[in-house]
Amino acid sequence: MAESVNGILLIYNHPPWKSAPTILEHVNAFAAHSQFNVWAVNTLGGFPPALQSLRFRVIILHYSLFGYWPHLQLSDSFLRYLSECDSSYKIAFFQDEYQFCQQRFGFVNRYRIDSIYTLVEPELFDAVYGRYTGVQSLIYTIPGYVSDNLIERGRKLGKPDEARRIDIGYRGRQLDYSMGRGAQEKSEIGRIFLERSRGLDLALDIGMEESERIYGEGWYAFLADCRGILGVEAGVSIFDLEDRVRIGCERLLSENPGLSFDDVSRRLLSVWEGNIYYRTISPRHFEAASLGVCQILFEGKYSGILQPMEHYIPLKKDFSNFCDVIRLFRDKDVRRRLTGNAHRDLIASGAYSYKHFVEEFDRHLLDEGICPQTGPKETQRVTEAFAKGRIRFALRAFLKALRYYPYPGKDFITKPIKPFVKKYRDLRLNGRRGLFNRHAGGER
């Protein structure tokens, strides 16, 4: 008989080497700040046998599980476990919700998710989840918050203005056309800024290629070396509720691979632009604020947190005020005022700290009648159960993650088996699509 545990099981997916640090900061915040006991399980290590005999009062499904839709980072063992946990209060954190929506809605209904933390703004809850699912609780969130580690990095790595070698930096990338014009801003701001800055005697470090991405501690060191950083709102401008835009775009580009974004927009995308507002502040803005970097941002809402000429220099999306932006940026007093305001309001205030976020999360559980009453003996017993085989699970996670690591000779080793892996994944994916889609449409 399964044992009930009055605590939180947090299920996530993360490779055991450096990547975007925001994922683990989000995962670790719950154990660090919650008044509930939290046990975190990385699905990359497989399904822990101890789980089979445990039923947690609360289950959190972290957004890292859903980052590769339609390839859900939950094995069949985890999915069976979710089905068996009828009495658990299930919470899903979602990001990048704009594609594979019908499969996501089907998952929510199939596994009877009770609460969703979403980047969709409250006035649009009914148009998205209310229309397609039976979820009872929807809570607006942002992609990331301010961790203690980020504050410490700001203290250690922050430099005086004259010690920074780069005037303006940026890293972005080209995103799929099906995400709309908003997603194209992430590459356009860097490309056009470079073109307009020729001959201006500015030290620039701007890159939009995948090979130029910077991860882990290297990203913070890069920021600390910049006086200014470009930026846009996170999110997209097309929300593909019926899974029609992506499929139509793929078909159009397969027939006409040379089409530009403007071509595809005229033929297909324009009728979908702005159908569901899905833009938000991003962790990059908190990182820049912590490290004292002056932000030059496309005009936008930024979740109501960042204000133009209070926290950043606003750049019009048509670059019509480019000369004014450069003039303002060259003024050291302007940079000092904006970076000081951003640090005060985003970092020092604590209003956007992970501690504050988890306190609000705990309050939601308390409002649902869930109380943190786990005794020390129960806590120790569950912890010891998970500790069994942890070396084996860590090794399995490492070996599974090798598929994503660009080690020398990888293509030579993996190329012969790729067709077989793809065939296996497609078979599993088709089975899951049918399962999830049968439960989409609001049925609970």
Side-chain angles (χ1 to χ4, degrees):
M1 184 176 178
E3 175 188 354
S4 296
V5 181
N6 189 26
I8 298 174
L9 172 67
L10 193 161
I11 306 174
Y12 71 104
N13 181 274
H14 193 269
W17 49 67
K18 66 181 183 179
S19 62
T22 52
I23 293 177
L24 280 185
E25 287 180 346
H26 198 275
V27 167
N28 294 334
F30 292 92
H33 301 296
S34 178
Q35 58 186 294
F36 293 82
N37 280 329
V38 179
W39 289 271
V41 171
N42 186 354
T43 62
L44 208 60
F47 184 84
L51 261 189
Q52 198 57 57
S53 60
L54 300 173
R55 296 294 182 269
F56 289 81
R57 183 68 183 89
V58 177
I59 298 176
I60 297 175
L61 300 170
H62 192 258
Y63 67 78
S64 55
L65 300 171
F66 311 101
Y68 301 96
W69 278 86
H71 301 296
L72 185 66
Q73 300 299 300
L74 285 167
S75 68
D76 291 341
S77 295
F78 277 104
L79 293 175
R80 280 194 297 271
Y81 180 76
L82 288 177
S83 294
E84 294 165 359
C85 293
D86 294 330
S87 60
S88 298
Y89 187 80
K90 298 171 188 171
I91 302 171
F93 279 80
F94 286 145
Q95 295 187 15
D96 299 327
E97 302 154 85
Y98 49 84
Q99 286 186 333
F100 301 101
C101 293
Q102 290 299 309
Q103 293 174 49
R104 190 181 303 272
F105 300 148
F107 177 88
V108 168
N109 291 330
R110 170 67 179 84
Y111 295 101
R112 306 179 75 83
I113 304 302
D114 297 285
S115 180
I116 292 175
Y117 279 72
T118 173
L119 306 186
V120 175
E121 295 195 346
E123 60 268 24
L124 295 168
F125 283 172
D126 287 344
V128 181
Y129 291 103
R131 179 181 176 188
Y132 294 98
T133 76
V135 69
Q136 297 300 305
S137 172
L138 290 158
I139 300 169
Y140 176 69
T141 188
I142 57 177
Y145 294 84
V146 179
S147 67
D148 294 339
N149 285 335
L150 179 58
I151 295 173
E152 186 61 24
R153 286 185 181 105
R155 291 193 188 113
K156 287 184 176 180
L157 299 177
K159 300 177 183 178
D161 190 87
E162 60 274 10
R164 302 185 185 225
R165 298 176 299 169
I166 302 166
D167 285 316
I168 299 172
Y170 182 64
R171 288 297 184 274
R173 64 175 123 189
Q174 178 72 50
L175 296 178
D176 290 347
Y177 292 170
S178 62
M179 299 177 188
R181 188 164 298 279
Q184 306 314 305
E185 294 172 2
K186 299 174 186 181
S187 58
E188 285 179 355
I189 190 172
R191 177 176 54 79
I192 299 175
F193 200 94
L194 274 173
E195 293 172 358
R196 297 292 296 270
S197 299
R198 290 196 182 108
L200 291 183
D201 191 29
L202 289 170
L204 304 179
D205 191 337
I206 296 172
M208 274 78 66
E209 298 297 327
E210 192 65 33
S211 60
E212 298 174 289
R213 304 284 289 180
I214 306 173
Y215 294 101
E217 293 302 316
W219 172 248
Y220 297 108
F222 171 72
L223 279 180
D225 220 12
C226 294
R227 296 184 179 90
I229 195 83
L230 302 178
V232 303
E233 287 182 291
V236 300
S237 54
I238 294 179
F239 206 105
D240 196 2
L241 284 168
E242 303 286 349
D243 295 337
R244 295 165 59 187
V245 181
R246 174 184 54 83
I247 294 171
C249 192
E250 289 174 354
R251 183 183 299 116
L252 184 60
L253 286 171
S254 68
E255 296 168 353
N256 306 274
L259 292 179
S260 68
F261 172 77
D262 287 337
D263 294 331
V264 176
S265 180
R266 282 192 298 270
R267 294 192 189 191
L268 174 68
L269 303 179
S270 59
V271 296
W272 302 97
E273 281 286 349
N275 62 330
I276 296 288
Y277 182 82
Y278 195 71
R279 307 301 298 273
T280 177
I281 194 171
S282 105
R284 284 193 175 188
H285 302 118
F286 293 117
E287 292 162 356
S290 182
L291 287 156
V293 189
C294 181
Q295 302 186 60
I296 301 171
L297 309 179
F298 271 165
E299 293 178 325
K301 287 174 60 176
Y302 296 96
S303 305
I305 295 171
L306 297 178
Q307 301 300 322
M309 291 313 299
E310 179 71 14
H311 304 114
Y312 69 94
I313 298 173
L315 173 62
K316 292 186 180 298
K317 295 180 182 181
D318 63 2
F319 279 75
S320 59
N321 68 333
F322 177 77
C323 293
D324 290 334
V325 166
I326 297 300
R327 175 180 55 79
L328 289 167
F329 175 76
R330 289 189 188 276
D331 189 327
K332 186 181 293 188
D333 289 335
V334 170
R335 297 203 305 271
R336 184 184 300 114
R337 179 175 65 83
L338 295 180
T339 55
N341 291 346
H343 190 278
R344 177 196 67 206
D345 296 340
L346 275 66
I347 309 299
S349 70
Y352 305 103
S353 68
Y354 270 111
K355 182 176 184 296
H356 181 73
F357 159 68
V358 175
E359 286 173 351
E360 292 294 317
F361 174 84
D362 282 358
R363 191 169 294 115
H364 169 65
L365 294 185
L366 293 171
D367 290 344
E368 292 291 333
I370 302 171
C371 299
Q373 297 174 336
T374 311
K377 289 185 178 180
E378 181 185 24
T379 301
Q380 182 179 357
R381 186 166 60 252
V382 175
T383 301
E384 289 175 352
F386 277 120
K388 294 176 182 178
R390 61 186 173 186
I391 295 177
R392 176 167 56 87
F393 280 106
L395 179 60
R396 183 184 296 173
F398 176 80
L399 292 174
K400 284 184 69 176
L402 279 177
R403 75 180 92 167
Y404 305 113
Y405 190 77
Y407 55 85
K410 178 181 178 181
D411 288 343
F412 177 77
I413 295 171
T414 60
K415 189 174 181 179
I417 64 172
K418 278 184 177 180
F420 301 100
V421 173
K422 183 180 185 302
K423 184 175 181 180
Y424 171 71
R425 284 181 176 174
D426 288 345
L427 286 171
R428 290 189 65 201
L429 176 58
N430 289 334
R432 288 188 178 187
R433 275 177 177 160
L435 177 62
F436 295 162
N437 290 342
R438 284 198 298 273
H439 293 271
E443 298 177 5
R444 291 296 298 262

PDB file of all heavy atoms in Angstrom, residues 2-25:
ATOM      1  N   ALA A   2       0.517   2.219  -0.811  1.00  0.00           N
ATOM      2  CA  ALA A   2       1.322   3.431  -0.936  1.00  0.00           C
ATOM      3  C   ALA A   2       1.213   4.286   0.321  1.00  0.00           C
ATOM      4  O   ALA A   2       0.158   4.390   0.945  1.00  0.00           O
ATOM      5  CB  ALA A   2       0.881   4.243  -2.151  1.00  0.00           C
ATOM      6  N   GLU A   3       2.333   4.915   0.683  1.00  0.00           N
ATOM      7  CA  GLU A   3       2.402   5.787   1.852  1.00  0.00           C
ATOM      8  C   GLU A   3       2.136   7.232   1.461  1.00  0.00           C
ATOM      9  O   GLU A   3       2.704   7.738   0.486  1.00  0.00           O
ATOM     10  CB  GLU A   3       3.787   5.669   2.487  1.00  0.00           C
ATOM     11  CG  GLU A   3       4.027   6.627   3.641  1.00  0.00           C
ATOM     12  CD  GLU A   3       5.467   6.610   4.114  1.00  0.00           C
ATOM     13  OE1 GLU A   3       6.251   5.773   3.631  1.00  0.00           O
ATOM     14  OE2 GLU A   3       5.805   7.440   4.980  1.00  0.00           O
ATOM     15  N   SER A   4       1.269   7.913   2.204  1.00  0.00           N
ATOM     16  CA  SER A   4       0.984   9.328   1.954  1.00  0.00           C
ATOM     17  C   SER A   4       2.067  10.197   2.582  1.00  0.00           C
ATOM     18  O   SER A   4       2.456   9.982   3.735  1.00  0.00           O
ATOM     19  CB  SER A   4      -0.381   9.706   2.535  1.00  0.00           C
ATOM     20  OG  SER A   4      -1.405   8.996   1.879  1.00  0.00           O
ATOM     21  N   VAL A   5       2.544  11.172   1.815  1.00  0.00           N
ATOM     22  CA  VAL A   5       3.583  12.085   2.288  1.00  0.00           C
ATOM     23  C   VAL A   5       3.041  13.506   2.210  1.00  0.00           C
ATOM     24  O   VAL A   5       2.696  13.984   1.128  1.00  0.00           O
ATOM     25  CB  VAL A   5       4.866  11.967   1.433  1.00  0.00           C
ATOM     26  CG1 VAL A   5       5.939  12.916   1.965  1.00  0.00           C
ATOM     27  CG2 VAL A   5       5.376  10.539   1.417  1.00  0.00           C
ATOM     28  N   ASN A   6       2.980  14.178   3.321  1.00  0.00           N
ATOM     29  CA  ASN A   6       2.464  15.543   3.342  1.00  0.00           C
ATOM     30  C   ASN A   6       3.591  16.522   3.000  1.00  0.00           C
ATOM     31  O   ASN A   6       4.069  17.287   3.834  1.00  0.00           O
ATOM     32  CB  ASN A   6       1.867  15.889   4.708  1.00  0.00           C
ATOM     33  CG  ASN A   6       1.128  17.227   4.653  1.00  0.00           C
ATOM     34  OD1 ASN A   6       0.665  17.622   3.598  1.00  0.00           O
ATOM     35  ND2 ASN A   6       1.040  17.903   5.775  1.00  0.00           N
ATOM     36  N   GLY A   7       4.021  16.467   1.754  1.00  0.00           N
ATOM     37  CA  GLY A   7       5.076  17.341   1.278  1.00  0.00           C
ATOM     38  C   GLY A   7       4.934  17.525  -0.219  1.00  0.00           C
ATOM     39  O   GLY A   7       3.922  17.160  -0.823  1.00  0.00           O
ATOM     40  N   ILE A   8       5.968  18.092  -0.830  1.00  0.00           N
ATOM     41  CA  ILE A   8       5.940  18.431  -2.256  1.00  0.00           C
ATOM     42  C   ILE A   8       6.945  17.576  -3.016  1.00  0.00           C
ATOM     43  O   ILE A   8       8.128  17.502  -2.636  1.00  0.00           O
ATOM     44  CB  ILE A   8       6.272  19.918  -2.470  1.00  0.00           C
ATOM     45  CG1 ILE A   8       5.218  20.809  -1.788  1.00  0.00           C
ATOM     46  CG2 ILE A   8       6.370  20.246  -3.954  1.00  0.00           C
ATOM     47  CD1 ILE A   8       5.552  22.297  -1.842  1.00  0.00           C
ATOM     48  N   LEU A   9       6.482  16.938  -4.066  1.00  0.00           N
ATOM     49  CA  LEU A   9       7.360  16.281  -5.035  1.00  0.00           C
ATOM     50  C   LEU A   9       7.499  17.218  -6.218  1.00  0.00           C
ATOM     51  O   LEU A   9       6.506  17.561  -6.863  1.00  0.00           O
ATOM     52  CB  LEU A   9       6.770  14.944  -5.482  1.00  0.00           C
ATOM     53  CG  LEU A   9       7.505  14.246  -6.632  1.00  0.00           C
ATOM     54  CD1 LEU A   9       8.886  13.785  -6.196  1.00  0.00           C
ATOM     55  CD2 LEU A   9       6.686  13.076  -7.169  1.00  0.00           C
ATOM     56  N   LEU A  10       8.723  17.645  -6.500  1.00  0.00           N
ATOM     57  CA  LEU A  10       8.994  18.546  -7.621  1.00  0.00           C
ATOM     58  C   LEU A  10       9.714  17.747  -8.705  1.00  0.00           C
ATOM     59  O   LEU A  10      10.836  17.277  -8.511  1.00  0.00           O
ATOM     60  CB  LEU A  10       9.829  19.736  -7.164  1.00  0.00           C
ATOM     61  CG  LEU A  10       9.955  20.923  -8.121  1.00  0.00           C
ATOM     62  CD1 LEU A  10      10.407  22.172  -7.382  1.00  0.00           C
ATOM     63  CD2 LEU A  10      10.920  20.662  -9.275  1.00  0.00           C
ATOM     64  N   ILE A  11       9.081  17.590  -9.858  1.00  0.00           N
ATOM     65  CA  ILE A  11       9.649  16.826 -10.961  1.00  0.00           C
ATOM     66  C   ILE A  11      10.153  17.804 -12.023  1.00  0.00           C
ATOM     67  O   ILE A  11       9.399  18.680 -12.475  1.00  0.00           O
ATOM     68  CB  ILE A  11       8.601  15.869 -11.569  1.00  0.00           C
ATOM     69  CG1 ILE A  11       7.991  14.984 -10.477  1.00  0.00           C
ATOM     70  CG2 ILE A  11       9.235  15.004 -12.644  1.00  0.00           C
ATOM     71  CD1 ILE A  11       6.853  14.106 -10.968  1.00  0.00           C
ATOM     72  N   TYR A  12      11.430  17.644 -12.419  1.00  0.00           N
ATOM     73  CA  TYR A  12      12.024  18.565 -13.391  1.00  0.00           C
ATOM     74  C   TYR A  12      12.966  17.797 -14.307  1.00  0.00           C
ATOM     75  O   TYR A  12      13.180  16.585 -14.139  1.00  0.00           O
ATOM     76  CB  TYR A  12      12.766  19.703 -12.686  1.00  0.00           C
ATOM     77  CG  TYR A  12      14.058  19.285 -12.012  1.00  0.00           C
ATOM     78  CD1 TYR A  12      15.288  19.579 -12.587  1.00  0.00           C
ATOM     79  CD2 TYR A  12      14.051  18.602 -10.790  1.00  0.00           C
ATOM     80  CE1 TYR A  12      16.473  19.208 -11.974  1.00  0.00           C
ATOM     81  CE2 TYR A  12      15.228  18.221 -10.170  1.00  0.00           C
ATOM     82  CZ  TYR A  12      16.439  18.523 -10.765  1.00  0.00           C
ATOM     83  OH  TYR A  12      17.615  18.140 -10.164  1.00  0.00           O
ATOM     84  N   ASN A  13      13.548  18.492 -15.289  1.00  0.00           N
ATOM     85  CA  ASN A  13      14.502  17.885 -16.204  1.00  0.00           C
ATOM     86  C   ASN A  13      15.645  18.846 -16.443  1.00  0.00           C
ATOM     87  O   ASN A  13      15.418  20.005 -16.824  1.00  0.00           O
ATOM     88  CB  ASN A  13      13.815  17.529 -17.536  1.00  0.00           C
ATOM     89  CG  ASN A  13      14.769  16.866 -18.522  1.00  0.00           C
ATOM     90  OD1 ASN A  13      15.468  17.545 -19.261  1.00  0.00           O
ATOM     91  ND2 ASN A  13      14.798  15.544 -18.529  1.00  0.00           N
ATOM     92  N   HIS A  14      16.876  18.374 -16.218  1.00  0.00           N
ATOM     93  CA  HIS A  14      18.018  19.274 -16.399  1.00  0.00           C
ATOM     94  C   HIS A  14      19.282  18.458 -16.614  1.00  0.00           C
ATOM     95  O   HIS A  14      19.553  17.511 -15.867  1.00  0.00           O
ATOM     96  CB  HIS A  14      18.193  20.171 -15.167  1.00  0.00           C
ATOM     97  CG  HIS A  14      19.125  21.314 -15.403  1.00  0.00           C
ATOM     98  ND1 HIS A  14      20.472  21.249 -15.149  1.00  0.00           N
ATOM     99  CD2 HIS A  14      18.905  22.564 -15.897  1.00  0.00           C
ATOM    100  CE1 HIS A  14      21.041  22.406 -15.471  1.00  0.00           C
ATOM    101  NE2 HIS A  14      20.119  23.209 -15.921  1.00  0.00           N
ATOM    102  N   PRO A  15      20.105  18.804 -17.630  1.00  0.00           N
ATOM    103  CA  PRO A  15      21.362  18.090 -17.857  1.00  0.00           C
ATOM    104  C   PRO A  15      22.388  18.439 -16.786  1.00  0.00           C
ATOM    105  O   PRO A  15      22.333  19.525 -16.196  1.00  0.00           O
ATOM    106  CB  PRO A  15      21.803  18.594 -19.239  1.00  0.00           C
ATOM    107  CG  PRO A  15      21.157  19.933 -19.376  1.00  0.00           C
ATOM    108  CD  PRO A  15      19.839  19.831 -18.651  1.00  0.00           C
ATOM    109  N   PRO A  16      23.354  17.526 -16.536  1.00  0.00           N
ATOM    110  CA  PRO A  16      24.302  17.729 -15.426  1.00  0.00           C
ATOM    111  C   PRO A  16      25.509  18.581 -15.779  1.00  0.00           C
ATOM    112  O   PRO A  16      26.556  18.423 -15.190  1.00  0.00           O
ATOM    113  CB  PRO A  16      24.720  16.290 -15.102  1.00  0.00           C
ATOM    114  CG  PRO A  16      24.646  15.587 -16.404  1.00  0.00           C
ATOM    115  CD  PRO A  16      23.490  16.205 -17.153  1.00  0.00           C
ATOM    116  N   TRP A  17      25.410  19.437 -16.753  1.00  0.00           N
ATOM    117  CA  TRP A  17      26.491  20.384 -17.026  1.00  0.00           C
ATOM    118  C   TRP A  17      25.886  21.749 -17.297  1.00  0.00           C
ATOM    119  O   TRP A  17      24.674  21.921 -17.295  1.00  0.00           O
ATOM    120  CB  TRP A  17      27.370  19.944 -18.190  1.00  0.00           C
ATOM    121  CG  TRP A  17      26.638  19.532 -19.409  1.00  0.00           C
ATOM    122  CD1 TRP A  17      25.884  20.302 -20.230  1.00  0.00           C
ATOM    123  CD2 TRP A  17      26.568  18.209 -19.947  1.00  0.00           C
ATOM    124  NE1 TRP A  17      25.359  19.567 -21.245  1.00  0.00           N
ATOM    125  CE2 TRP A  17      25.766  18.271 -21.093  1.00  0.00           C
ATOM    126  CE3 TRP A  17      27.130  16.988 -19.566  1.00  0.00           C
ATOM    127  CZ2 TRP A  17      25.497  17.163 -21.876  1.00  0.00           C
ATOM    128  CZ3 TRP A  17      26.858  15.887 -20.340  1.00  0.00           C
ATOM    129  CH2 TRP A  17      26.051  15.980 -21.473  1.00  0.00           C
ATOM    130  N   LYS A  18      26.756  22.709 -17.540  1.00  0.00           N
ATOM    131  CA  LYS A  18      26.312  24.095 -17.599  1.00  0.00           C
ATOM    132  C   LYS A  18      25.292  24.309 -18.705  1.00  0.00           C
ATOM    133  O   LYS A  18      25.387  23.775 -19.793  1.00  0.00           O
ATOM    134  CB  LYS A  18      27.503  25.035 -17.797  1.00  0.00           C
ATOM    135  CG  LYS A  18      28.207  24.885 -19.142  1.00  0.00           C
ATOM    136  CD  LYS A  18      29.375  25.844 -19.229  1.00  0.00           C
ATOM    137  CE  LYS A  18      30.059  25.767 -20.596  1.00  0.00           C
ATOM    138  NZ  LYS A  18      31.182  26.702 -20.705  1.00  0.00           N
ATOM    139  N   SER A  19      24.272  25.089 -18.408  1.00  0.00           N
ATOM    140  CA  SER A  19      23.281  25.532 -19.378  1.00  0.00           C
ATOM    141  C   SER A  19      22.715  26.827 -18.815  1.00  0.00           C
ATOM    142  O   SER A  19      23.358  27.473 -18.003  1.00  0.00           O
ATOM    143  CB  SER A  19      22.199  24.476 -19.597  1.00  0.00           C
ATOM    144  OG  SER A  19      21.502  24.231 -18.406  1.00  0.00           O
ATOM    145  N   ALA A  20      21.507  27.200 -19.230  1.00  0.00           N
ATOM    146  CA  ALA A  20      20.917  28.418 -18.677  1.00  0.00           C
ATOM    147  C   ALA A  20      20.716  28.237 -17.175  1.00  0.00           C
ATOM    148  O   ALA A  20      20.000  27.326 -16.746  1.00  0.00           O
ATOM    149  CB  ALA A  20      19.586  28.694 -19.368  1.00  0.00           C
ATOM    150  N   PRO A  21      21.326  29.065 -16.320  1.00  0.00           N
ATOM    151  CA  PRO A  21      21.250  28.864 -14.870  1.00  0.00           C
ATOM    152  C   PRO A  21      19.863  29.113 -14.295  1.00  0.00           C
ATOM    153  O   PRO A  21      19.577  28.702 -13.174  1.00  0.00           O
ATOM    154  CB  PRO A  21      22.261  29.871 -14.322  1.00  0.00           C
ATOM    155  CG  PRO A  21      22.336  30.941 -15.370  1.00  0.00           C
ATOM    156  CD  PRO A  21      22.146  30.229 -16.680  1.00  0.00           C
ATOM    157  N   THR A  22      18.994  29.773 -15.058  1.00  0.00           N
ATOM    158  CA  THR A  22      17.686  30.132 -14.516  1.00  0.00           C
ATOM    159  C   THR A  22      16.828  28.914 -14.183  1.00  0.00           C
ATOM    160  O   THR A  22      15.965  28.986 -13.313  1.00  0.00           O
ATOM    161  CB  THR A  22      16.931  31.040 -15.498  1.00  0.00           C
ATOM    162  OG1 THR A  22      16.915  30.414 -16.790  1.00  0.00           O
ATOM    163  CG2 THR A  22      17.622  32.389 -15.627  1.00  0.00           C
ATOM    164  N   ILE A  23      17.040  27.780 -14.879  1.00  0.00           N
ATOM    165  CA  ILE A  23      16.226  26.594 -14.621  1.00  0.00           C
ATOM    166  C   ILE A  23      16.477  26.072 -13.210  1.00  0.00           C
ATOM    167  O   ILE A  23      15.547  25.878 -12.423  1.00  0.00           O
ATOM    168  CB  ILE A  23      16.501  25.498 -15.664  1.00  0.00           C
ATOM    169  CG1 ILE A  23      16.018  25.948 -17.042  1.00  0.00           C
ATOM    170  CG2 ILE A  23      15.825  24.184 -15.260  1.00  0.00           C
ATOM    171  CD1 ILE A  23      16.323  24.957 -18.158  1.00  0.00           C
ATOM    172  N   LEU A  24      17.740  25.845 -12.865  1.00  0.00           N
ATOM    173  CA  LEU A  24      18.039  25.307 -11.536  1.00  0.00           C
ATOM    174  C   LEU A  24      17.753  26.321 -10.434  1.00  0.00           C
ATOM    175  O   LEU A  24      17.395  25.939  -9.315  1.00  0.00           O
ATOM    176  CB  LEU A  24      19.492  24.852 -11.464  1.00  0.00           C
ATOM    177  CG  LEU A  24      19.778  23.478 -12.083  1.00  0.00           C
ATOM    178  CD1 LEU A  24      21.226  23.073 -11.853  1.00  0.00           C
ATOM    179  CD2 LEU A  24      18.847  22.408 -11.519  1.00  0.00           C
ATOM    180  N   GLU A  25      17.902  27.601 -10.716  1.00  0.00           N
ATOM    181  CA  GLU A  25      17.536  28.603  -9.709  1.00  0.00           C
ATOM    182  C   GLU A  25      16.051  28.499  -9.379  1.00  0.00           C
ATOM    183  O   GLU A  25      15.658  28.572  -8.208  1.00  0.00           O
ATOM    184  CB  GLU A  25      17.872  30.004 -10.218  1.00  0.00           C
ATOM    185  CG  GLU A  25      19.359  30.308 -10.232  1.00  0.00           C
ATOM    186  CD  GLU A  25      19.693  31.694 -10.748  1.00  0.00           C
ATOM    187  OE1 GLU A  25      18.795  32.338 -11.344  1.00  0.00           O
ATOM    188  OE2 GLU A  25      20.835  32.132 -10.567  1.00  0.00           O
TER     189      GLU A  25
END
